[in-house]
Amino acid sequence: MAFDGIVVANLVKELDQTLTGGRINKIAQPETDELLLTIKTNRKQQRLFLSASASLPLAYLTEENKPSPMIAPNFCMLLRKHLNSAKIIGITQPDMERIIRFEIEHLNEMGDLCRKYLIMELMGKHSNIIFCDENEKIIDSIKHISGLVSSVREVLPGRDYFIPNTQEKISPLSLTFPLCLEHLFKKPVPTAKAIYTSLTGFSPVMANESCYRAKIDSQVPANCLTEKEQVTLYTILEEMASDIQNGQFHPAIIKKDGIVTEFASLPLTCYLDFPEYKEVPYQSISKLLEHYYAEKNNLTRIRQKSVDLRKIISNALERCRKKLDLQEKQLKDTKKREKYKVYGELLTTYGYQLQPGETSLTALNYYTNEEITIPLDKTLTALENAKKYFEKYNKLKRTYEAVSVQLEENRKELLHLESVSNALDMAENENDLAAIKEELIHCGYIRRKYAGKKAEKKQKLINHFTIVPLMAMIFLLEKIIFKMMN
């Protein structure tokens, strides 16, 4: 699930069509690494959400509003000073990079028309929102990056803005067959890897997709492709680049059994050719991103809240499996019980033949018509040895009966715990978690008094602050009454 350069190209097209010509009406900074811009266009008011979060960088149009802090951060105040009522005159993406560049016009303090750039970099932990002047000199950024943090580029006020070219990739929009021969088809790595390490904007998903369309094994080294395969792959890459350049995007989420598997802005035929996968198309890439990441955030929150329940179920499953192994071993040991029974019966039948001090008896087993040798304790008589074997038989028989019942109960418990564990994996909201917790309490995996431990602590605190003042008041009244009586 990659927020790659192709998705950014789709987003830039949508933002350019929707926001260009609009004026920035409000600027808010709900979080330290987020901006929420309200833009008035001819059609209606739009909200643009920008996040430079290291774990989840995002940019999309939204209808949702977020509460802002009472005191605006410095970066937000700076943008309000320069960009309030400013006009967006263009939104571009340089060379298929994961960068959105907003070109903005505004009037300065002297009333002169000025041009500024707000640059959104969607690059994982290196994500940033940078504000530059018309000469592309950094005025400020939402994150300050000094030379101590990055040796490649400093992002500080007064520094020149540039895009670091650390990987020397080629833009797919300017791709030619000679460039493919020189940069892509010479690499001794899997073809898919050669694609996404050579072309800007291509993620591993889209690299695999291009190999699938060209009917090439993505794991075959790029330098081992035949001339025909090279031409076919180049043709597919050229077609994809043409779709990107002409804005022929088809944003969609791919789901398997109702669970989000992937999303992309170009058709993922490598999934669509299989019946277990279902495509959910979207008219807007912003809606796709908002819905997908809202669902992802919800699942993340549910997983965080279910950590304790998962630990309880995991411990119970581990205990159950250990118990099951032990019970199966015990049951296997009880298989010897019938042998001891036969030993006892044969000693009762043929014991009169034994001489004192003998250590074994060889006799005919009338159940199988075969001779067997029975080990004996030479200090005991034949009847005492028989009694000893019958006792062993009865003990193992009782063990077999008890363990069989326990084993069946344990298997049922294991199946129940596995079903609860599956239910926890499929939990979508807090009501599901509450139902699972109640089930665990009902089955005894969670003690109810501990389940309500926080509520009890709260009640004790309330009681403390209610009873103590009351007792003080009673003591004071008693003291006053005592003085009046005297």
Side-chain angles (χ1 to χ4, degrees):
M1 289 165 278
F3 203 141
D4 58 17
I6 298 172
V7 173
V8 172
N10 188 357
L11 184 60
V12 165
K13 180 198 171 190
E14 182 173 287
L15 295 178
D16 191 44
Q17 290 175 345
T18 309
L19 303 180
T20 298
R23 291 192 177 274
I24 299 172
N25 185 39
K26 291 180 183 177
I27 302 170
Q29 191 173 341
E31 303 290 343
T32 55
D33 52 8
E34 290 179 2
L35 284 181
L36 188 62
L37 308 180
T38 305
I39 300 153
K40 280 190 175 181
T41 62
N42 292 331
R43 297 177 185 177
K44 61 175 185 178
Q45 187 169 274
Q46 303 281 355
R47 285 194 181 96
L48 175 63
F49 176 73
L50 303 174
S51 172
S53 167
S55 58
L56 199 64
L58 281 173
Y60 55 77
L61 293 170
T62 180
E63 295 177 1
E64 299 294 324
N65 199 2
K66 292 184 76 173
S68 301
M70 293 295 291
I71 301 173
N74 292 337
F75 185 67
C76 180
M77 293 295 288
L78 177 74
L79 292 181
R80 286 176 182 177
K81 176 186 174 183
H82 288 275
L83 302 183
N84 198 23
S85 298
K87 184 180 180 181
I88 299 173
I89 60 172
I91 303 171
T92 55
Q93 177 193 22
D95 294 326
M96 286 296 294
E97 293 283 357
R98 288 174 294 168
I99 296 171
I100 304 173
R101 185 184 178 94
F102 298 88
E103 192 172 350
I104 302 166
E105 273 187 352
H106 73 103
L107 297 174
N108 63 11
E109 295 88 344
M110 304 297 294
D112 297 327
L113 192 65
C114 296
R115 188 164 293 187
K116 298 286 192 302
Y117 299 98
L118 188 66
I119 302 164
M120 175 79 222
E121 296 186 339
L122 298 149
M123 299 180 177
K125 65 180 181 179
H126 303 295
S127 299
N128 210 338
I129 303 172
I130 304 169
F131 184 47
C132 298
D133 65 12
E134 56 192 0
N135 298 316
E136 298 205 358
K137 199 172 281 291
I138 297 171
I139 298 172
D140 204 354
S141 61
I142 206 162
K143 294 179 186 175
H144 287 180
I145 311 297
S146 68
L148 297 172
V149 178
S150 173
S151 59
V152 176
R153 179 185 67 162
E154 283 188 327
V155 182
L156 294 170
R159 300 286 192 272
D160 290 328
Y161 174 80
F162 64 93
I163 301 168
N165 187 17
T166 55
Q167 294 180 317
E168 297 182 353
K169 291 185 179 182
I170 311 160
S171 170
L173 304 181
S174 58
L175 189 66
T176 60
F177 190 69
L179 279 173
C180 268
L181 287 173
E182 184 182 349
H183 293 277
L184 199 154
F185 297 136
K186 285 185 178 180
K187 292 188 175 181
V189 295
T191 304
K193 187 175 181 180
I195 293 170
Y196 70 75
T197 55
S198 300
L199 301 181
T200 309
F202 269 71
S203 61
V205 175
M206 295 313 299
N208 281 313
E209 169 64 19
S210 56
C211 290
Y212 184 81
R213 291 189 191 184
K215 296 180 173 56
I216 294 170
D217 185 353
S218 61
Q219 295 305 308
V220 171
N223 61 350
C224 294
L225 295 176
T226 63
E227 188 176 342
K228 184 181 178 182
E229 287 173 332
Q230 289 177 355
V231 172
T232 306
L233 183 57
Y234 170 71
T235 305
I236 294 297
L237 291 172
E238 197 176 34
E239 287 173 1
M240 293 173 82
S242 176
D243 287 342
I244 295 165
Q245 199 158 22
N246 297 325
Q248 300 298 316
F249 297 108
H250 301 278
I253 284 175
I254 304 296
K255 290 188 175 183
K256 183 181 180 182
D257 301 326
I259 299 170
V260 174
T261 303
E262 194 57 77
F263 74 84
S265 289
L266 296 179
L268 292 174
T269 57
C270 56
Y271 290 102
L272 299 179
D273 288 346
F274 298 94
E276 62 265 30
Y277 291 96
K278 183 183 176 184
E279 182 185 50
V280 183
Y282 282 79
Q283 292 296 320
S284 163
I285 186 65
S286 288
K287 289 291 181 189
L288 183 152
L289 292 170
E290 188 174 16
H291 289 173
Y292 168 71
Y293 285 106
E295 186 176 335
K296 186 175 180 182
N297 284 339
N298 180 55
L299 288 173
T300 303
R301 191 180 71 254
I302 291 298
R303 287 196 172 273
Q304 287 172 346
K305 291 190 174 184
S306 66
V307 167
D308 292 339
L309 294 179
R310 285 181 188 281
K311 189 175 180 181
I312 290 165
I313 294 170
S314 176
N315 290 341
L317 279 169
E318 188 180 355
R319 187 170 61 250
C320 231
R321 288 182 181 123
K322 283 182 179 178
K323 196 192 295 182
L324 191 70
D325 290 340
L326 185 63
Q327 287 168 346
E328 285 176 345
K329 188 179 177 183
Q330 285 178 320
L331 203 64
K332 189 177 178 182
D333 291 340
T334 62
K335 288 181 179 179
K336 296 183 274 186
R337 66 187 184 283
E338 293 300 327
K339 179 178 73 173
Y340 295 141
K341 181 184 177 184
V342 171
Y343 284 177
E345 289 178 352
L346 293 179
L347 280 170
T348 305
T349 306
Y350 301 112
Y352 66 90
Q353 300 175 4
L354 282 175
Q355 298 298 322
E358 289 192 24
T359 56
S360 64
L361 170 67
T362 301
L364 179 68
N365 183 356
Y366 40 73
Y367 291 108
T368 61
N369 288 325
E370 294 176 356
E371 282 193 345
I372 61 170
T373 301
I374 304 170
L376 300 173
D377 185 345
K378 62 182 181 180
T379 62
L380 303 176
T381 64
L383 289 175
E384 286 172 339
N385 272 296
K387 184 181 176 183
K388 182 181 174 183
Y389 280 122
F390 279 130
E391 285 174 355
K392 281 186 179 181
Y393 163 72
N394 288 324
K395 184 180 178 181
L396 290 175
K397 183 184 176 184
R398 287 193 300 272
T399 303
Y400 170 76
E401 290 170 352
V403 170
S404 295
V405 174
Q406 292 170 2
L407 190 63
E408 186 62 28
E409 289 175 354
N410 199 28
R411 282 175 178 156
K412 287 179 182 177
E413 185 182 1
L414 189 61
L415 286 172
H416 177 253
L417 283 169
E418 286 173 348
S419 69
V420 173
S421 179
N422 291 335
L424 192 58
D425 289 337
M426 294 186 288
E428 295 180 353
N429 51 54
E430 293 185 20
N431 291 335
D432 293 342
L433 293 183
I436 292 167
K437 186 175 182 179
E438 191 59 36
E439 175 70 14
L440 292 172
I441 291 170
H442 177 72
C443 296
Y445 297 110
I446 302 176
R447 291 165 67 180
R448 191 173 290 275
K449 67 176 183 179
Y450 291 119
K453 202 170 183 179
K454 285 186 179 178
E456 286 180 14
K457 280 185 178 179
K458 187 177 178 181
Q459 190 59 46
K460 282 180 182 178
L461 203 61
I462 291 167
N463 291 344
H464 174 76
F465 286 105
T466 306
I467 292 167
V468 170
L470 187 62
M471 289 178 68
M473 190 180 293
I474 291 168
F475 176 75
L476 187 62
L477 284 170
E478 285 178 347
K479 195 173 180 182
I480 293 167
I481 292 166
F482 180 77
K483 282 184 177 180
M484 288 174 66
M485 288 176 69
N486 293 332

